[in-house]
């Protein structure tokens, strides 16, 4: 669980999320959290699917999976270290009501962030207070809209561009069209500089 702090990153090469700017920025903003290397960095993933494999049935299932990013790259994406925290079965699409179903998980994560939980470290043979932070959510675009509450439809569909996008409708059309993202605007999203 302390691998993320002890491994040596090569400048300019990202092989693990802990090598990224977002992780480093998080550690600088929350030094009380990063001071304890056993604190857990989490990712949350969810998406709906039809368990019956039929488009005629409206039923859907939403598994919610937590991933621990403290582990080495070869371990953090293995199924045995991904935790199915809940399954949300619904007769139709959840829409924005997913936050009601996620409320118990949010409450637990909030408690783990603020006060932590007493844990036992078997390698060091002592108790300590472990804390957790949800670093990322990983979704496709429609599920992102449901989890975040952002409308992924219409002119303001892009959460990065917001009202600065180039959306338009053709003279005789009804569908909204977007221009392809250019290198200059991608550099704002990814944080890379244009050369």
């Amino acid at each position: 669980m302390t691998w993320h702090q002890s491994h040596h990153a090569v400048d300019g090469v990202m092989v693990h999320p802990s090598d990224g700017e977002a992780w480093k920025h998080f550690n600088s903003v929350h030094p009380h959290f990063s001071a304890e290397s056993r604190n857990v960095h989490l990712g949350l993933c969810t998406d709906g699917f039809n368990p019956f494999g039929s488009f005629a049935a409206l039923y859907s299932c939403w598994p919610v999976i937590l991933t621990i990013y403290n582990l080495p790259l070869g371990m953090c994406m293995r199924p045995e270290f991904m935790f199915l925290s809940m399954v949300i079965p619904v007769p139709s699409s959840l829409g924005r009501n997913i936050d009601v179903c996620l409320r118990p998980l949010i409450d637990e994560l909030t408690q783990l962030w603020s006060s932590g939980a007493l844990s036992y470290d078997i390698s060091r043979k002592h108790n300590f207070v472990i804390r957790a932070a949800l670093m990322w959510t990983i979704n496709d675009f429609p599920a992102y809209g449901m989890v975040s509450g952002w409308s992924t439809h219409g002119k303001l569909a892009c959460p990065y561009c917001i009202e600065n996008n180039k959306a338009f409708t053709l003279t005789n059309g009804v569908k909204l069209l977007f221009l392809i993202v250019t290198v200059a605007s991608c550099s704002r999203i990814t944080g890379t500089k244009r050369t």
Side-chain angles (χ1 to χ4, degrees):
M1 291 297 288
T2 61
W3 178 88
H4 67 98
Q5 195 170 35
S6 60
H7 92 286
H8 300 289
V10 178
D11 285 341
V13 178
M14 185 173 162
V15 296
H16 188 270
S18 62
D19 299 334
E21 291 300 317
W23 189 296
K24 293 171 186 171
H25 176 71
F26 179 84
N27 284 345
S28 67
V29 171
H30 303 286
H32 67 284
F33 185 86
S34 60
E36 175 57 71
S37 62
R38 295 171 291 188
N39 284 337
V40 184
H41 296 77
L42 297 171
L44 183 141
C45 175
T46 186
D47 197 7
F49 70 95
N50 186 328
F52 305 114
S54 166
F55 290 112
L58 295 176
Y59 196 84
S60 68
C61 259
W62 288 76
V64 179
I65 299 168
L66 288 174
T67 305
I68 299 175
Y69 286 114
N70 290 41
L71 301 171
L73 188 61
M75 293 174 69
C76 69
M77 292 299 159
R78 292 174 76 183
E80 58 266 27
F81 298 111
M82 295 177 149
F83 299 100
L84 181 64
S85 59
M86 68 175 62
V87 176
I88 306 169
V90 289
S92 60
S93 178
L94 274 169
R96 293 192 178 179
N97 295 328
I98 193 168
D99 59 343
V100 174
C101 300
L102 290 174
R103 187 79 242 170
L105 178 62
I106 293 168
D107 290 342
E108 286 184 21
L109 290 173
T110 302
Q111 179 187 0
L112 283 172
W113 169 256
S114 59
S115 57
L118 188 62
S119 300
Y120 181 72
D121 185 343
I122 196 162
S123 64
R124 299 180 189 176
K125 306 220 183 318
H126 70 86
N127 291 331
F128 73 104
V129 176
I130 191 169
R131 290 185 164 78
L134 182 62
M135 298 286 289
W136 297 282
T137 60
I138 303 162
N139 315 94
D140 62 3
F141 210 57
Y144 169 77
M146 291 180 194
V147 171
S148 69
W150 184 267
S151 174
T152 55
H153 307 291
K155 188 170 194 265
L156 302 178
C158 180
Y160 299 106
C161 301
I162 306 174
E163 69 274 350
N164 296 326
N165 65 41
K166 306 283 192 244
F168 62 95
T169 306
L170 295 175
T171 307
N172 296 321
V174 293
K175 291 188 177 182
L176 198 60
L177 303 172
F178 293 88
L179 292 179
I180 296 172
V181 178
T182 63
V183 175
S185 59
C186 279
S187 65
R188 187 180 63 194
I189 294 169
T190 61
T192 58
K193 293 188 177 175
R194 187 177 178 189
T195 54

